[in-house]
Amino acid sequence: MILKPGTGKRTINDRTFTEFFANAIREMIVEQPLTILNLNKQWDVIVTSNGGGVNGTAGAVRLGIARALVAYKPEYRAAMREHGLMTRDSRAVERKKYGKSGARRSFQFSKR
């Protein structure tokens, strides 16, 4: 991810945020750190992302932008922390267990 002062250009995987997310809510989630600090049109954001879904990507990009802004200016940390933007979502897919068809689901039981 590249975050640099500029005109407010936003791209992810060589597509604009609007094309990539195709949903105003996801776009709002991504731009939340910049909106909180009133820096919307002052920074260019260029992201390369792989893996995960669109919602996961939106959350990851939001965290990356927040961390980059705090690295640039440590005074921003309090505002980011107050809005819960400095915390990673630790949920992950549970592994498949042996003797089961998934993480928890068992095979269908047959009485006869």
Side-chain angles (χ1 to χ4, degrees), residues 96-108:
K96 181 194 176 303
K97 276 72 165 199
Y98 62 90
K100 303 268 186 172
S101 58
R104 297 183 180 208
R105 190 186 187 305
S106 299
F107 297 109
Q108 186 171 356

Tab-separated table of all heavy atoms in Angstrom, residues 96-108:
chain	number	residue	atom	x	y	z
A	96	LYS	N	-10.532	-27.722	9.474
A	96	LYS	CA	-11.324	-28.938	9.362
A	96	LYS	C	-10.736	-29.989	10.295
A	96	LYS	O	-9.522	-30.145	10.366
A	96	LYS	CB	-11.288	-29.448	7.922
A	96	LYS	CG	-12.113	-30.694	7.725
A	96	LYS	CD	-11.794	-31.355	6.397
A	96	LYS	CE	-12.537	-32.654	6.240
A	96	LYS	NZ	-12.295	-33.634	7.293
A	97	LYS	N	-11.597	-30.719	11.013
A	97	LYS	CA	-11.149	-31.776	11.905
A	97	LYS	C	-11.346	-33.132	11.244
A	97	LYS	O	-12.219	-33.309	10.412
A	97	LYS	CB	-11.952	-31.760	13.220
A	97	LYS	CG	-11.437	-30.787	14.276
A	97	LYS	CD	-11.725	-29.403	13.890
A	97	LYS	CE	-11.558	-28.441	15.035
A	97	LYS	NZ	-12.261	-27.192	14.781
A	98	TYR	N	-10.502	-34.089	11.649
A	98	TYR	CA	-10.626	-35.440	11.099
A	98	TYR	C	-11.914	-36.080	11.603
A	98	TYR	O	-12.371	-35.808	12.713
A	98	TYR	CB	-9.413	-36.290	11.474
A	98	TYR	CG	-9.229	-36.483	12.952
A	98	TYR	CD1	-9.817	-37.557	13.621
A	98	TYR	CD2	-8.485	-35.583	13.691
A	98	TYR	CE1	-9.664	-37.726	14.971
A	98	TYR	CE2	-8.317	-35.750	15.044
A	98	TYR	CZ	-8.902	-36.830	15.679
A	98	TYR	OH	-8.737	-36.989	17.029
A	99	GLY	N	-12.539	-36.920	10.785
A	99	GLY	CA	-13.782	-37.569	11.156
A	99	GLY	C	-15.003	-36.678	10.986
A	99	GLY	O	-16.108	-37.048	11.356
A	100	LYS	N	-14.810	-35.492	10.460
A	100	LYS	CA	-15.910	-34.550	10.240
A	100	LYS	C	-15.868	-34.109	8.780
A	100	LYS	O	-14.854	-34.199	8.119
A	100	LYS	CB	-15.752	-33.319	11.134
A	100	LYS	CG	-15.660	-33.629	12.618
A	100	LYS	CD	-17.013	-33.583	13.218
A	100	LYS	CE	-16.933	-33.737	14.737
A	100	LYS	NZ	-18.196	-33.513	15.356
A	101	SER	N	-17.020	-33.581	8.311
A	101	SER	CA	-17.042	-33.129	6.922
A	101	SER	C	-16.601	-31.673	6.803
A	101	SER	O	-16.396	-31.171	5.709
A	101	SER	CB	-18.449	-33.303	6.338
A	101	SER	OG	-19.375	-32.575	7.107
A	102	GLY	N	-16.466	-30.995	7.916
A	102	GLY	CA	-15.997	-29.608	7.936
A	102	GLY	C	-15.351	-29.351	9.271
A	102	GLY	O	-14.821	-30.263	9.899
A	103	ALA	N	-15.421	-28.128	9.756
A	103	ALA	CA	-14.831	-27.817	11.048
A	103	ALA	C	-15.632	-28.450	12.178
A	103	ALA	O	-15.089	-29.016	13.116
A	103	ALA	CB	-14.771	-26.306	11.232
A	104	ARG	N	-16.968	-28.384	12.083
A	104	ARG	CA	-17.815	-28.913	13.148
A	104	ARG	C	-18.877	-29.889	12.645
A	104	ARG	O	-19.335	-30.752	13.374
A	104	ARG	CB	-18.519	-27.757	13.872
A	104	ARG	CG	-17.524	-26.853	14.541
A	104	ARG	CD	-18.173	-25.767	15.309
A	104	ARG	NE	-17.157	-24.937	15.924
A	104	ARG	CZ	-17.320	-24.253	17.022
A	104	ARG	NH1	-18.482	-24.281	17.636
A	104	ARG	NH2	-16.363	-23.516	17.509
A	105	ARG	N	-19.296	-29.757	11.391
A	105	ARG	CA	-20.375	-30.582	10.865
A	105	ARG	C	-19.908	-32.020	10.688
A	105	ARG	O	-18.862	-32.284	10.109
A	105	ARG	CB	-20.833	-30.021	9.516
A	105	ARG	CG	-22.111	-30.675	9.028
A	105	ARG	CD	-22.446	-30.190	7.624
A	105	ARG	NE	-23.713	-30.594	7.090
A	105	ARG	CZ	-24.158	-31.821	6.974
A	105	ARG	NH1	-23.437	-32.828	7.400
A	105	ARG	NH2	-25.341	-32.076	6.442
A	106	SER	N	-20.729	-32.937	11.176
A	106	SER	CA	-20.421	-34.363	11.017
A	106	SER	C	-21.078	-34.902	9.760
A	106	SER	O	-21.936	-34.246	9.165
A	106	SER	CB	-20.949	-35.155	12.223
A	106	SER	OG	-20.341	-34.722	13.404
A	107	PHE	N	-20.691	-36.116	9.379
A	107	PHE	CA	-21.345	-36.774	8.264
A	107	PHE	C	-22.745	-37.173	8.693
A	107	PHE	O	-23.019	-37.345	9.887
A	107	PHE	CB	-20.542	-38.002	7.831
A	107	PHE	CG	-19.165	-37.659	7.332
A	107	PHE	CD1	-18.039	-37.964	8.058
A	107	PHE	CD2	-19.008	-36.985	6.125
A	107	PHE	CE1	-16.776	-37.635	7.604
A	107	PHE	CE2	-17.753	-36.658	5.655
A	107	PHE	CZ	-16.638	-36.982	6.401
A	108	GLN	N	-23.656	-37.345	7.732
A	108	GLN	CA	-25.028	-37.693	8.049
A	108	GLN	C	-25.071	-39.076	8.743
A	108	GLN	O	-24.438	-40.022	8.305
A	108	GLN	CB	-25.875	-37.708	6.789
A	108	GLN	CG	-27.334	-37.927	7.053
A	108	GLN	CD	-28.182	-37.731	5.810
A	108	GLN	OE1	-27.674	-37.363	4.764
A	108	GLN	NE2	-29.473	-37.997	5.936
